[in-house]
Amino acid sequence: MSSNQSIFRTKSLEAMIGQTQGKGLKKVLGAFELTMLGIGAIIGTGIFVLTGVAAADYAGPGLMLSFIFCGITCAFVALCYAELAAMIPVAGSAYTFGYVGLGELWAWIIGWDLILEYVVAVAAVAVGWSGYIVMLLSSAGIHIPDALTNAPGQKGGIVNLPSILILFVITLLLIKGVSESAKLNNVLVIVKLAVVILFIVVGAGHVQPANWNPFLPYGVGGIFKGAAIIFFAYLGFDAVTTAAEEVKNPQRDLPIGILASLGVCTVLYIVVSGILTGMVPYQNFHNNAAPVAYALQQVGINWGSALVSVGAVTGISSVLLVMAFGATRVLFSLSRDGLLPKVFAEIDPKFGTPVKSTVLVGAVTMILSGFVQIGRLAEMTNIGTLAAFCVVCVSVVVLRKKRPDVKRPFLCPAVPAVPIIGLIFCLYLIYELPNFTKMVFVIWLLVGFVIYFGYGRKHSAMNFEDESKAKA
């Protein structure tokens, strides 16, 4: 098989950037918007929901160390992301980086994997948003029937209507344009950061050090099992890179957005988990979906509990916005390269956005959140993200060797040590995930192979590049 027909053929960096010239997405984002996009995606379900579950069932007060381990892992990966995103400012995130560094098949695998990650995350988070909004409405005396707030098979459920409605609104916002979506996201992020800081200020005075004893009730292993579960809390900084093509000065702003959002969120996570387990014994958070609000209730700060619930609704809304945005841009990139039907790569002349990709993502996530009990599938977002991180770490090393001539506006330090450490940490966290998660992931990849060899390989834009080279 000739190299130009190989399933591992790589896309040239120049060709990847060239396809965005004149017909790419609108460039409207700066460093501040990117940082807020990252914080918007990272701070949400993780801090408002998963902290309690991970503390009660996996790590106890040692959850603080779980967050530190996750933060360190993400820091190594973020340095790799920053180098690649500044060097390849094209929509698609790890998919794009894999195409240039590792080849078409690896790019397809990671793109297919990213679609699963984002779509399942959006559907699962929308169900969480629905739960919080129903609780808030109920406290205000407005009761919605169970039939309209639960999926079939759950407590008399027919359809989870609130989750469908919020995703409909998110879809309309993304169709209208990334600039408008980013402005709304900025407001939502400011609100939820204010709520998180309020919890830190108010909760710090109610910490009882005795609640931190024993600090590691599940042993040292609990730190890493907890880290594998709460890694969901770090989804988002990679979503910053899906916006690469819409950044005004990507070489400068992308590294700032990636590293700043990760740094802010890691500090907040460590502090919040410490205060949370100091306020209330970790065992009390078992099966509690609103640990932050619950902790404030337990120390008699009911007004704070209500405020946190409002913050959770805004926080989860911004997660939905950024995650759905990420899904549409990955789908757009796969379609533009011919690996999926080209119709999803069409950019609307009025809005400058991939409307058909956005509508498809919106429809699928609405159906999933409205009619399916997501359950353990939410864990799929963790393995999807970790797999993408592995590809990014490897791509940095490969491209340093294959394309040393390319200008790198941001350099990942200590290559190959930093990428290799990031790769090892990510592989270890994948190992710590439940077997069910790994099994479903393998099934999804097998479906992806069928689509690639049945459609994508035949319709790949690389085929046409290869033909033109042969004629020349």
Side-chain angles (χ1 to χ4, degrees):
M1 183 184 290
S2 64
S3 62
N4 64 345
Q5 293 298 313
S6 170
I7 57 175
F8 298 110
R9 56 191 172 181
T10 56
K11 201 172 185 72
S12 81
L13 182 56
E14 293 74 18
M16 188 70 81
I17 294 173
Q19 67 185 350
T20 70
Q21 304 303 314
K23 52 184 178 180
L25 300 163
K26 282 186 180 178
K27 296 185 181 296
V28 293
L29 302 175
F32 176 75
E33 288 83 6
L34 286 172
T35 303
M36 297 299 266
L37 272 177
I39 295 173
I42 298 170
I43 293 185
T45 312
I47 206 164
F48 292 114
V49 178
L50 287 181
T51 43
V53 174
D57 301 336
Y58 297 97
L63 182 64
M64 287 181 273
L65 299 181
S66 299
F67 275 118
I68 290 172
F69 181 73
C70 282
I72 291 170
T73 300
C74 287
F76 283 112
V77 178
L79 290 167
C80 297
Y81 261 106
E83 174 169 316
L84 294 176
M87 185 173 75
I88 313 170
V90 179
S93 187
Y95 158 73
T96 300
F97 308 151
Y99 215 149
V100 174
L102 303 178
E104 185 171 275
L105 181 61
W106 281 107
W108 163 258
I109 289 171
I110 214 61
W112 183 242
D113 160 46
L114 284 171
I115 288 175
L116 173 69
E117 171 198 333
Y118 285 126
V119 166
V120 174
V122 169
V125 171
V127 173
W129 184 94
S130 172
Y132 266 105
I133 202 72
V134 167
M135 186 172 67
L136 275 175
L137 291 173
S138 179
S139 66
I142 302 169
H143 299 284
I144 305 174
D146 289 340
L148 299 179
T149 59
N150 290 320
Q154 282 182 313
K155 198 182 175 184
I158 295 175
V159 59
N160 191 329
L161 190 59
S163 68
I164 291 177
L165 291 176
I166 186 60
L167 288 174
F168 180 73
V169 173
I170 294 289
T171 302
L172 291 180
L173 280 167
L174 291 174
I175 286 172
K176 186 165 175 57
V178 68
S179 178
E180 289 77 6
S181 301
K183 287 172 186 173
L184 173 63
N185 181 67
N186 291 348
V187 174
L188 295 175
V189 169
I190 289 168
V191 170
K192 72 176 171 184
L193 282 178
V195 169
V196 170
I197 291 167
L198 176 70
F199 169 74
I200 291 170
V201 172
V202 173
H206 294 272
V207 168
Q208 298 178 32
N211 288 331
W212 288 331
N213 187 26
F215 189 70
L216 297 176
Y218 300 101
V220 175
I223 297 171
F224 302 109
K225 289 192 181 297
I229 297 302
I230 55 98
F231 203 83
F232 187 93
Y234 280 92
L235 299 186
F237 84 82
D238 62 322
V240 171
T241 62
T242 65
E245 202 170 312
E246 290 148 284
V247 181
K248 288 178 279 192
N249 185 358
Q251 286 78 13
R252 181 184 73 92
D253 295 342
L254 278 166
I256 293 173
I258 293 167
L259 297 170
S261 59
L262 178 62
V264 168
C265 295
T266 298
V267 170
L268 289 176
Y269 276 156
I270 294 166
V271 174
V272 167
S273 59
I275 291 174
L276 199 64
T277 52
M279 289 173 68
V280 178
Y282 70 91
Q283 305 96 319
N284 295 13
F285 294 115
H286 184 66
N287 286 335
N288 191 310
V292 178
Y294 171 78
L296 289 170
Q297 273 183 340
Q298 293 304 296
V299 297
I301 308 175
N302 291 318
W303 62 268
S305 175
L307 201 58
V308 163
S309 294
V310 173
V313 168
T314 58
I316 293 173
S317 298
S318 67
V319 172
L320 286 172
L321 189 66
V322 180
M323 288 295 185
F325 169 84
T328 63
R329 286 345 184 233
V330 173
L331 178 58
F332 166 80
S333 297
L334 285 165
S335 303
R336 183 166 62 184
D337 290 332
L339 301 179
L340 287 174
K342 285 273 191 181
V343 66
F344 299 114
E346 294 173 5
I347 298 174
D348 186 89
K350 179 180 178 183
F351 299 115
T353 58
V355 171
K356 289 172 183 173
S357 284
T358 305
V359 169
L360 178 61
V361 168
V364 172
T365 53
M366 281 183 235
I367 291 168
L368 284 174
S369 68
F371 298 99
V372 179
Q373 296 180 46
I374 300 299
R376 289 186 294 181
L377 279 179
E379 295 168 358
M380 289 303 302
T381 56
N382 285 5
I383 197 166
T385 303
L386 287 164
F389 287 1
C390 290
V391 168
V392 168
C393 291
V394 173
S395 293
V396 167
V397 178
V398 171
L399 282 170
R400 283 283 187 100
K401 186 173 180 62
K402 288 171 64 176
R403 295 300 305 270
D405 56 309
V406 176
K407 183 183 176 185
R408 289 168 168 80
F410 178 89
L411 279 173
C412 173
V415 173
V418 166
I420 289 173
I421 293 170
L423 175 65
I424 291 169
F425 282 5
C426 289
L427 289 173
Y428 180 72
L429 287 173
I430 289 174
Y431 170 77
E432 288 288 349
L433 284 169
N435 288 331
F436 172 84
T437 302
K438 298 168 193 168
M439 181 182 70
V440 177
F441 183 63
V442 169
I443 293 170
W444 178 257
L445 288 182
L446 290 174
V447 173
F449 282 128
V450 171
I451 293 173
Y452 173 72
F453 287 105
Y455 178 91
R457 193 176 175 210
K458 297 174 190 172
H459 296 84
S460 170
M462 288 286 284
N463 293 335
F464 305 104
E465 287 180 28
D466 294 340
E467 285 173 14
S468 52
K469 281 179 191 173
K471 287 176 184 175

